[in-house]
Amino acid sequence: MFRNDSGNKSLLNRILFYIPRFEREQDQNQSDQFDWFRQSNYTEPIESSKTADEAKQPLFDSYYDFLARADSLESQMTTIGSSSSFTSAVSLSVQDDLSMLSSLIDTHLQTNLKIETSKPTAIKSVKLFQKPYYKEKIKGQEVKVTSWRMKEKMKTISAALVLCLNIGVDPPDVIKTVNSSKLMCWINQSAPQLSPQKILEMIGAELHKQYERWQARARYRLCPDPTSEDVKKLCVSLRKNAREERVLFHYNGHGVPRPTINGEIWVFNKEFTQYIPLSLYEVQTWMGTPSIYVWECSNAGLVVQSFLNFEIDREAEFKKQMEETETTVAVMPNFKDSIHLAACAATELLPQHPDLPLDLFTSCLTTPIKTALYWYVTQKNSCQLIPGLTLDLLEKIPGQISDRRTMMGELNWIFTAITDTIAWNLLDSDLFQKLFRQDLLVASLFRNFLLAERIMKSFDCNPVSHPVLPSTNEHALWQSWDLVLDMCISQLPQLFDSGGNQIGEFVSCGFFNQQIEIFELWLKLNVSSEKAPEQLPVVLQVLLSQQHRLKALELLAKFIDLGPWAVSAALSVGIFPYVLKLLSTQPKELRPLLTFIWAKILAVDRSCQAELVKDNGHVYFVQMLSESDVEPEQKVYSAFVLSTLVNDFPTGQKSAKKSHLIAVCSFVLTDETTRDYANVLLRKWICLCLGLSWNKFAEARWEGVRNNAHQLLLKLAADAEAEVRAAALFALGTYIDAGHDKEGTFEQAIEIDSQIVNTLIKSYDCVFLVRKELILVLNNYLNRFKLNESNEYGIHNQNKTNIVFSKAVATLLDLQNDPYPECALLARHVLSQMLHAESQFESAKRKLIKQIESRIVVLSEDKCHMDTGLVAWCSNYFLKPLLASHGPDSDQPLPVNRQIDLYSNEKLDQHCKILYNYKTRRVPHKWTQPSQMEELVQIQHQPYPIHVKFNPNNEQIFVADIQKNVTVYDNLNRTKLLSFSTILAPNSGAKQSAIIRSFKLINTQHEPIVLTGSDDLVVKFFKPDLHNMKQTQLITAFTAFSSIRESTVEAGLIVEWDETNEMLMCAGDTNYIRVWDMNKELYKDYLTGLKSCVSSLSCGDSFTIAGFGNGCVKLFDFRSSSSAVGIVHSDSASSFYSSTPVLHRTGSMYESKHTYSNQLYAHNSFVLKTCVHAQNNTLISCGILGDINVYDLRYMKKSVDKSFNNEKASALECHPFNRLIAVANSTKQNESIKIYNFEGAELSYIKHREGFMGKRLSTVSCIDWNPNSNEILFGSFDNMITIFRKKDNQH
């Protein structure tokens, strides 16, 4: 029997979250630590089946019974946590435990903690190093764009309408039925009052008129009942005038015999006494290419076959002639560029339905709506089913084709949408573009050909086309077309009175509303599919309607937001000219949608920039950017669109300058109090837009000077967001590289450039993304001094710039040894290029280059691609889904920019997080009495370890050794899982001899990150691949300090990590502590006030304890307003912030009423370790001579009067939760590890390893406690890693 699993999920979440809180809410008085439990005695029965006596019994015998019952859930939690969902069955007994634990928690929270139990506290997710530039390669995403743009646009500008009718005389091979149709082009051929010649003229005029509906600008020439010479003259004349454009040849052969198998059609002699054969070979010679042919005759398929065979023969003859004459042509003629539409197959005869025209195929091509109505009525017997409906009414359908509000206009609109949709879904992209998008007349004829196929096949005729199309007559959308026809036809009797006068109004059939609903439903239910819905072309047609345009744009925006594939699909349908034309519309409600759609299009296909600029579309986006009532999120899209328009596109740059783009962007950055400035994405893209607008364009640079743009960008170079800082440096780099023109001299330009560089080199950024942009800024600055005709300058200017030039070179020399390999390699390329181009600099600078030549790591002269990929990488943002979903009740149809939070809980594995929170909040049992230790694990590790760390959430050990390697072991089976070196690639410039002085394991609740600090002052963050046990990622690396001071006692680089505040403290052989805010990735320096080195750091709640080489211990409080984290532009003393000397918690239980000194000379020797035990408000410090002091942080005085241990120590560590201290004594012949409590009482010691003839301990180099138990891990100089624990107690 099992219970509902959804309830189990919530119970497990609550229990595993709150139990650890109870364990940590412990007072100093151990006798009261379980009072809350003893007083609860919650006795509410869990099951109705329990007796009254059972219900009165306490649920748990003791607090330890309570914990034991909680422990029994761990295996169940592990099973559920590792599964894909909480669907694992939970047994009845476990369900009872869950219910009891949850009930007890409710009682405790309500009575003791006053917490609303229905709203548990949210678990904070780890955000560190989840920013995109740490997780992705800085390069543009490769997007495969379907070919949607026609290689060449083409027009059909001439047409030959050849009518071989000979009215009144039937050809000998045609037998007409008794009731055969008399209609030709909807004109009665047997009208007795008209002569055959007049009827022929009327038919020709009507056919001309029908074709003009589809291509009004074409030149149509009639050729009624022609001779072969007439056809020749007409074809040659049309080809001569058309040149390279397409020519139409329409042949109606109803009055002549059927085509022959020899590839001949028939015309007349001059006297109309004979039928004269006309070879198709000659026709195609006269017509040339490109051309389109319509064959309205029986056996028309035979014409197409013969024509294509002749094309092959002509091409072969031409090649043979070229070979015989040994001549060559620049461009090979295309003999096969012909399109054919034929009424029937090679062996078929044309139908003769009495109610339809004889030239039914032509009627389908030229009058599709009328033909479809007549065919539908005759096929469905609608005249009998709909009272009052007659065929005459079909002639009175109101409206014009061009007016979509009328019946005729809507039918044509729907017909276009349906045929386009059928073709787009069945044809491949290239063929669709050629037939339905390249030529207006060809597209119309092929849309109508789909109808012709359906109608002709109903009479057992199979129309033929070249290129061959797949069968379309049974497509499901034809049923929708039939429904539309039925709804329209049923209205006709009510629209007209008996006299034929219109008395009613046409009611729309609602086709487009239905299709929009279907499309919207697809967006909701099929977003995981990368196949576009078949209704996409319908959305394109809906854009033509002002009534539905807003809804269509909204759906289109949601669709293309699905990914690049969706944008490609929309472009292949033909969306581009429509959205381009919509930029000229004025309705403000369309602006956000249009801006978003254009941002998506340009993110996928940047080549659209040419058309956009040509149609002055950029003005639309500049206006959007300048208006104050536009939302910042929408301005982001505008800024991206404008950035794309000026990116490597000089025409776009010039157009943008004329539209005052630089002035508009500068204005956005002027006022820091506006909501525009507060938007991080907008600040970033404004910077990138400025940088691209004046890239290699000197005129735009001086436009920036007039708008003070470079000063605004310098301010953003110190922005709180690293991506904004990088974008600002990119813009300043292109600004320097733009040079000067007639508006400014070289001296004026170089003075501004020198000011920019002099400001930028004063700061140091820990983000490699920013440092790479700085290198390019310096590269562009150095290149400005290369001598050429345009930048000759005087000696007085040289003196001014030589100082900045030397500083720039010095900065590059530092950056060539940057700890991040990409930065170092880029800086070395810049310096190498400078060295190779030494002769291009003036004498003073050549002299400087000579002096530092030996310090440059010279690379080959191969040109390095000086592009960091920042712009392309930032553009990847617009390839991701950005729109928030809209519910059915939402009345806001506009897109909402959803800031993609890569640091949110969605990105963390929920089940693992629950398990981690359970384990990490578990604390070991108290250890108050002396006890022996037992050995659990012993691992041999070479070379000897210098740092060891437990991974508290997995049974793993992290070890750093003397050779700068980090190794991960499974401490259960003692196997090596992973090993990597912290020495980076040779081009990184890292000192090979630098020893790891600091080693931390952070971010353990999610993905463990290894933090190292080494003697070369470099901080590195590594993310081991603990899932696949493969490559370890270097997340980032940077230099903690630019320089150190000489000292008799050296500590190396000391780092401490503040997990709560995401702060990195760095100190060592300096007189200040550098505090890095790793969320903003900025730093601030705090003076120590001592000349001694910092030897130890330990973090508390917003304060840091520092131990010094002279024995002093000092506290720093960084919470004061003067200590707000910010960027520091120099290491000068004036840039430092003084520290608050004492911890002062006003209004709390820790408020002090005493005056404290700002430092304690706690030891007579080098401070080995300081530990802050936050739960007990205790500070433990130890000197290298082994003297351990315990201080009460509330009073800053010793809680234990005398120091204890007092043996030379090599390592010390405090348990993070228990009041335990482990110290490794290194006195020769007396090496041991001793365990003390905070009162100085010795609880245990380790002197020998276990086993027969247990070996004595070697000198211990490092120690760590397991936070979840009383296990101690240590490494020693005898290449051993060992784990001990308290005997008879796993906790």
Side-chain angles (χ1 to χ4, degrees), residues 511-582:
F511 169 80
F512 289 104
N513 288 331
Q514 296 168 6
Q515 296 300 312
I516 286 175
E517 289 178 4
I518 294 172
F519 189 81
E520 191 170 16
L521 186 64
W522 183 92
L523 287 173
K524 292 179 180 179
L525 302 180
N526 296 282
V527 292
S528 60
S529 171
E530 286 199 4
K531 183 180 179 181
E534 66 177 21
Q535 290 78 20
L536 184 58
V538 178
V539 177
L540 176 66
Q541 291 295 322
V542 175
L543 288 177
L544 299 172
S545 169
Q546 193 169 358
Q547 176 185 356
H548 303 291
R549 186 171 294 160
L550 182 62
K551 184 64 175 178
L553 280 176
E554 182 185 352
L555 294 178
L556 179 62
K558 289 182 178 180
F559 173 70
I560 65 176
D561 194 46
L562 297 178
W565 68 269
V567 177
S568 296
L571 289 173
S572 69
V573 169
I575 205 73
F576 182 80
Y578 289 80
V579 293
L580 182 62
K581 188 176 181 180
L582 285 176

Side-chain angles (χ1 to χ4, degrees), residues 625-626 635 661-679 682-683 686-687 690 703-716 719:
L625 204 58
S626 63
K635 289 187 177 183
L661 172 62
I662 294 175
V664 172
C665 290
S666 301
F667 180 78
V668 174
L669 300 179
T670 302
D671 190 353
E672 298 182 16
T673 62
T674 62
R675 58 177 183 169
D676 288 346
Y677 192 92
N679 188 287
L682 184 56
R683 292 203 308 275
I686 289 292
C687 292
L690 284 172
E703 182 80 13
V705 172
R706 288 193 294 273
N707 287 279
N708 206 30
H710 61 289
Q711 294 294 344
L712 297 171
L713 291 170
L714 277 175
K715 187 188 301 182
L716 288 176
D719 195 88

Side-chain angles (χ1 to χ4, degrees), residues 916-929:
Y916 283 173
N917 277 277
Y918 166 59
K919 287 188 174 182
T920 55
R921 286 171 170 79
R922 294 290 310 277
V923 294
H925 289 168
K926 296 301 174 183
W927 186 352
T928 57
Q929 300 297 324

